[in-house]
Structures are given as structure tokens and as C-alpha cells.
Amino acid sequence: MKMEIVCAGVGGRGVLLASTILIETAIKAGFEAMASDEYGMSQRGGSVVSLVKIGDCKSPLIGRENADILLSFEESEFYRNLAFLKRGGMAIVNTRKGFLRDGIGNLLKERNIKCHFVNADDIASRKGSMQAANMAILGYFSYFKQGPYMLGAIEETIKEKTKGKFVEKNLEIFDAGYRYGEK
């Protein structure tokens, strides 16, 4: 199996923790995995992009139109990183609106990209931790059962990779994101 995932957001949104969880979950499932992170002014809300590759890969970089999945933690980062997504790929976009800018729909349709919207900020906020919207996105993503990313496998990695005092809240928000997918 080979899978390429782009995790895109801004500083402080948990992009790097999410990509770590994806990598560790894949490794525990017996796959090779690697990542390359790009962040500069992330402390000031700048872009953070983590490229996650699973399977037999020679380089951690993902080329234009090669990614299978784009997990966008901010709607603006969806637009910025859409060029990574291959034809027939899947995007999950954290947005309050439930729709994208005019003109994007035709591009997605032309490229056969399946785009799913989740209001991860709202899910996390309702559960009492706006900072954990990344967990809502991972939960929503696990609903689609892509590769090694099943509900229980990601939950186990969350338990291992998050700080003790945040584990229960992260799991609660992760579960709420998964349930959002069931709707």
C-alpha cells in the first residue's frame, strides 16, 4: 500500500500532532511511514504543512497532484494546498460554511475530487476545547476507513501521543468527529 496525505493548517491548530498520530498509526499497522514538515512563522498564525507518506517511499516530499488525501485544518489552507491533491483524491475541509468559493466546485468535479466538509472548530468548541479541532478532523477522517486509519487504531495512538491531562478530552472530541461522519 502507498498513501500520501497532506495535512495543512496554521500555527497552533495541531497540524504536527495530527501528522505524528497518522505516522505512528501507520507504523503500528506494519507500514513504513515518513513525513516532512514545513512551517515558518507558525507562532504567528503562519502556514503549517506536514507531508505524510506511507508505504515504500524514497522521499518524504509530495509532488504536485500526487496526494491521495488533503486534510485541511483551515479553509484557506485548502485553497493553498489543493495543487497537491491528485485526480480522484479526497479532501476534508474544516469550515463553518459547508461550501467553497465560487468556481472551485467545477474544478473539483473536473478532477473527480471528493470534498467533505466538517465544522471541526464547532465540534471541538462544543466539547470544551477549541484547540482540539485537529482531533475532530482525525475522527471525521477515520470514519472513511482509509488504509490503516480505523477508529480504534487512531484512538490507541492518541492515547500514546497526547499528554496525560488531555487524553480524555482529545478522545471525546475525536469520537465526536467520527460521529459527525455518521450523519
Side-chain angles (χ1 to χ4, degrees):
M1 184 190 77
K2 185 175 178 185
M3 182 181 288
E4 298 184 1
I5 303 170
V6 174
C7 298
V10 296
R13 299 307 307 259
V15 173
L16 299 181
L17 175 59
S19 70
T20 297
I21 290 169
L22 293 174
I23 292 166
E24 293 293 329
T25 300
I27 290 171
K28 287 193 305 188
F31 296 101
E32 291 182 31
M34 63 175 76
S36 175
D37 302 324
E38 299 174 19
Y39 52 96
M41 298 294 284
S42 59
Q43 296 290 329
R44 296 184 180 196
S47 295
V48 177
V49 178
S50 184
L51 309 175
V52 176
K53 293 178 84 171
I54 300 159
D56 184 24
C57 304
K58 305 290 185 232
S59 163
L61 300 179
I62 296 175
R64 185 179 175 91
E65 295 190 24
N66 281 334
D68 301 287
I69 298 162
L70 169 59
L71 300 180
S72 176
F73 296 72
E74 294 281 332
E75 184 180 331
S76 62
E77 295 303 313
F78 165 76
Y79 299 112
R80 187 187 316 266
N81 292 283
L82 183 57
F84 281 112
L85 199 55
K86 72 179 186 183
R87 292 179 182 273
M90 179 175 85
I92 293 177
V93 182
N94 178 18
T95 179
R96 292 186 189 114
K97 296 186 300 190
F99 59 90
L100 299 172
R101 283 190 219 155
D102 289 343
I104 290 292
N106 289 337
L107 174 68
L108 298 177
K109 186 175 180 179
E110 176 186 307
R111 294 179 61 198
N112 193 27
I113 292 172
K114 296 173 191 82
C115 192
H116 304 275
F117 306 108
V118 58
N119 191 343
D121 293 334
D122 184 59
I123 292 169
S125 182
R126 287 177 188 238
K127 296 292 181 184
S129 180
M130 174 76 169
Q131 296 81 7
N134 59 345
M135 295 296 136
I137 290 172
L138 286 177
Y140 185 68
F141 174 55
S142 73
Y143 171 77
F144 295 97
K145 300 173 179 55
Q146 300 287 313
Y149 300 116
M150 304 297 168
L151 180 71
I154 297 177
E155 284 176 334
E156 288 306 311
T157 308
I158 289 170
K159 289 176 188 173
E160 295 169 11
K161 292 296 172 187
T162 57
K163 294 179 182 171
K165 66 181 180 180
F166 300 117
V167 169
E168 289 305 316
K169 184 58 71 180
N170 283 346
L171 288 173
E172 181 183 354
I173 294 169
F174 173 81
D175 184 64
Y178 182 85
R179 303 285 170 231
Y180 190 89
E182 292 181 322
K183 291 181 184 176

